[in-house]
Amino acid sequence: MTGSAGDRGPARGIAPAIPELQTERLVLRAFRDADRAPFAAMNADPAVMEHFPSTLDRAASDALVDRIIDRWRTDGHGLWAVERRDDGAFLGFTGVARLEYLPVPEIGWRFARFAWGQGFATEAAQAALEFAFETLRLTEIVSVTTVANRRSMAVMERLGMRRDPADDFLHPNLSEGHPLRPHVLYRLTRDAWSRTRPGPVTRHHRTTAAG
């Protein structure tokens, strides 16, 4: 579950250079101003945000976009906007983020409801994993979500990630007794990924600036 609780506010400066990845059906690219309205609509959808503490209003959604762009600047990686190649529709996000309560970067995703059930989350996350292991040279990546989020756990398992119940934890940014506080953690090492990957999923790779 890629969230915003406890994240730092945005820094000011030159827009970061963000790699653009293309898969068979998708483009993973920097967020643009035109994405803010569909992103806010997605974050205001109770079905999309079922496993988060609350929906986001427009101001909170825009602030999240600003933080996403800032993390590319500070970390050298982060979350991409995901666009459908056929028609340019904004579908959601995926990417590799550093969260203060996790020991290694997390791969996460969030997609608009109309994009569910078509394999987009898995396809986008496969490209993000390829970037994480081949470009960033990470040795391990994790993904977390609340225990009730079977949809996200199914994506993690399709990616080859594995859960050890000993790694499950209580989310530190949620209060004691909160129904979403119990979380699961899935892991994938670069060695395990390299043994089981079906082949390259990224067809094109270039760099663009956010904005």
Side-chain angles (χ1 to χ4, degrees), residues 117-159:
Q118 301 169 68
F120 291 137
T122 302
E123 183 174 330
Q126 285 172 335
L129 279 178
E130 199 169 86
F131 180 83
F133 288 134
E134 294 195 337
T135 301
L136 300 178
R137 302 301 296 170
L138 298 181
T139 58
E140 185 179 40
I141 199 162
V142 300
S143 193
V144 303
T145 191
T146 184
V147 295
N149 192 351
R150 286 302 313 168
R151 185 184 297 273
S152 274
M153 283 188 271
V155 174
M156 296 171 197
E157 290 164 6
R158 284 194 291 272
L159 295 173

Side-chain angles (χ1 to χ4, degrees), residues 22-202:
Q22 290 189 14
T23 67
E24 181 179 0
R25 298 182 295 167
L26 305 172
V27 179
L28 282 60
R29 56 162 176 78
F31 271 82
R32 302 169 182 160
D33 283 343
D35 300 325
R36 289 177 181 263
F39 187 58
M42 179 182 77
N43 291 326
D45 184 339
V48 173
M49 303 299 286
E50 177 185 3
H51 301 291
F52 290 83
S54 66
T55 57
L56 302 181
D57 62 19
R58 178 61 187 262
S61 182
D62 282 350
L64 178 54
V65 173
D66 293 338
R67 288 195 297 274
I68 287 170
I69 294 170
D70 180 53
R71 295 308 289 263
W72 277 101
R73 182 183 295 109
T74 58
D75 295 340
H77 59 79
L79 303 176
W80 288 276
V82 179
E83 171 186 303
R84 189 164 50 200
R85 290 181 62 183
D86 284 351
D87 58 5
F90 174 87
L91 303 183
F93 70 65
T94 195
V96 180
R98 293 187 182 274
L99 302 179
E100 60 187 13
Y101 54 87
L102 295 176
V104 297
E106 185 212 18
I107 185 168
W109 47 83
R110 188 181 304 168
F111 281 78
R113 199 179 345 170
F114 73 86
W116 292 2
Q118 301 169 68
F120 291 137
T122 302
E123 183 174 330
Q126 285 172 335
L129 279 178
E130 199 169 86
F131 180 83
F133 288 134
E134 294 195 337
T135 301
L136 300 178
R137 302 301 296 170
L138 298 181
T139 58
E140 185 179 40
I141 199 162
V142 300
S143 193
V144 303
T145 191
T146 184
V147 295
N149 192 351
R150 286 302 313 168
R151 185 184 297 273
S152 274
M153 283 188 271
V155 174
M156 296 171 197
E157 290 164 6
R158 284 194 291 272
L159 295 173
M161 307 187 83
R162 294 293 177 261
R163 173 191 176 194
D164 181 344
D167 290 330
D168 293 353
F169 67 101
L170 299 176
H171 197 295
N173 294 339
L174 296 175
S175 61
E176 184 175 354
H178 195 291
L180 298 179
R181 197 176 187 208
H183 269 55
V184 299
L185 183 148
Y186 280 69
R187 297 179 181 270
L188 182 64
T189 65
R190 185 169 67 209
D191 287 344
W193 171 80
S194 64
R195 289 194 302 267
T196 60
R197 63 180 299 202
V201 295
T202 303

